[in-house]
Amino acid sequence: MLQRVHVVEVCLPEVIGDGITEEGGLNSHWQLSLARRQILLLETLKVKQSILDPIPAALKLPIAVSCYWVQHTEAKAKLHHLQALLLGMLMGPLHAMINSPDEEALQGRGAEMLYEELQRVKAQPGLRLDLDTAHVFCQWQCCLQMGLYLNQLLSAPLPEPDLTRLYSGSLVHGLCRQLLTSASVESLLHVCPEAQQLYDHMFNATRSCAPAELGLPKGKSKKRRQKKRGTPQSENRVGTTLNARSWHEGGNRFELLMVGTLEEHMEAPELE
């Protein structure tokens, strides 16, 4: 049975300055400078500008949304879910590397090899859908959709991402299965150091906003350390819970689940 989860409601912070008064409301936000609108967006998502500095412009909004998601997810998200999402986000940059003559000469075949490997994962025959994983990714997509709407409402203080290569349901589900069984992030990325560096930047940005339960060596809660004393810890361990809170009833939509791309989600009618 499908479950429904609660997405935390947020309010736009009041912006004082640049000629905008507290009573101005949303109707006046378009008058703000680009820098002020960007601050407003990031404050709403509870993300500091500094952690996005190493991130390419096209991925700043998805990473900012991911930072919000790991702080507020009600789903039982785990480390391998986050890893799969970030690996999936590499498809756009890899495609750009492959199709840029200058970058192609610099990267050799590393970017192409990694892109082809991710395409193979995406093309794997469909297996039984893990509903917990599907709900985790659906909540992330709902957060991204609201982030896109807010960014558009504020006249795009952050660049709009390329949705066609930002998320693929079949890819992230396939990556989750591989990360739980045979593969690691390092084994996938070792062929392309540039992709490894970009992944590290994205992971570090998201990790800085994640709760202690993310599963990093210094991120274990006291209760979990006592319960699993003596158990080896690893940054790449995939079975650790991001947030141990249970599912709650709410108004989320779950028509997406295994949708291939976010463009289909943006065009899908809202469930009633």
Side-chain angles (χ1 to χ4, degrees):
M1 178 181 293
L2 293 182
Q3 295 173 318
R4 305 175 71 189
V5 300
H6 172 70
V7 176
V8 178
E9 181 180 1
V10 297
C11 297
L12 288 172
E14 298 293 348
V15 180
I16 309 298
D18 289 346
I20 306 302
T21 65
E22 200 167 351
E23 291 77 20
L26 279 175
N27 291 333
S28 299
H29 285 168
W30 65 270
Q31 302 177 37
L32 294 171
S33 65
L34 174 62
R36 295 292 289 173
R37 285 184 280 118
Q38 190 173 104
I39 291 172
L40 180 59
L41 174 64
L42 296 181
E43 284 183 352
T44 304
L45 296 175
K46 305 185 188 310
V47 177
K48 294 181 179 179
Q49 172 67 52
S50 58
I51 71 172
L52 297 179
D53 287 343
I55 308 299
L59 291 176
K60 286 184 185 294
L61 182 57
I63 293 301
V65 168
S66 299
C67 291
Y68 177 85
W69 170 71
V70 297
Q71 294 178 76
H72 297 93
T73 179
E74 296 288 341
K76 294 180 180 179
K78 297 179 181 178
L79 180 57
H80 68 282
H81 296 136
L82 175 59
Q83 291 173 324
L85 281 171
L86 299 181
L87 287 170
M89 290 184 194
L90 293 175
M91 292 295 282
L94 288 172
H95 184 268
M97 290 180 194
I98 294 169
N99 289 279
S100 171
D102 295 336
E103 290 294 332
E104 186 176 6
L106 177 65
Q107 311 298 339
R109 293 199 67 246
E112 185 177 352
M113 291 171 62
L114 178 56
Y115 188 85
E116 291 174 352
E117 174 60 28
L118 294 178
Q119 290 282 33
R120 280 192 291 270
V121 174
K122 181 179 178 180
Q124 288 178 348
L127 300 176
R128 183 177 178 180
L129 177 65
D130 184 291
L131 287 182
D132 287 339
T133 295
H135 284 297
V136 167
F137 290 144
C138 186
Q139 189 174 53
W140 177 84
Q141 290 172 83
C142 289
C143 291
L144 179 64
Q145 185 183 42
M146 295 303 105
L148 290 169
Y149 288 160
L150 178 58
N151 191 54
Q152 292 168 4
L153 181 66
L154 296 174
S155 300
L158 290 180
E160 291 284 325
D162 178 9
L163 298 182
T164 61
R165 294 187 176 88
L166 180 66
Y167 176 89
S168 165
S170 54
L171 175 59
V172 296
H173 280 267
L175 286 169
C176 279
R177 287 191 290 267
Q178 285 204 4
L179 291 169
L180 284 171
T181 54
S182 59
S184 68
V185 172
E186 289 76 14
S187 67
L188 289 169
L189 297 181
H190 78 278
V191 298
C192 185
E194 291 72 23
Q196 174 75 67
Q197 183 181 47
L198 176 55
Y199 172 89
D200 290 341
H201 287 323
M202 295 192 296
F203 183 81
N204 289 334
T206 313
R207 177 177 59 177
S208 67
C209 298
E213 291 83 1
L214 178 61
L216 301 178
K218 296 182 180 181
K220 293 275 188 179
S221 65
K222 182 178 180 181
K223 182 177 180 180
R224 185 176 292 273
R225 285 198 303 268
Q226 291 173 346
K227 183 177 180 181
K228 295 190 176 182
R229 184 173 298 170
T231 302
Q233 298 177 5
S234 169
E235 180 171 332
N236 198 44
R237 186 170 182 171
V238 297
T240 307
T241 300
L242 272 172
N243 192 320
R245 289 175 293 176
S246 61
W247 294 94
H248 294 279
E249 292 296 321
N252 242 350
R253 297 177 298 165
F254 292 96
E255 73 273 24
L256 229 203
L257 299 182
M258 274 286 281
V259 149
T261 66
L262 273 167
E263 281 194 327
E264 299 173 42
H265 176 46
M266 298 298 287
E267 296 172 359
E270 184 171 348
L271 275 181
E272 298 181 358

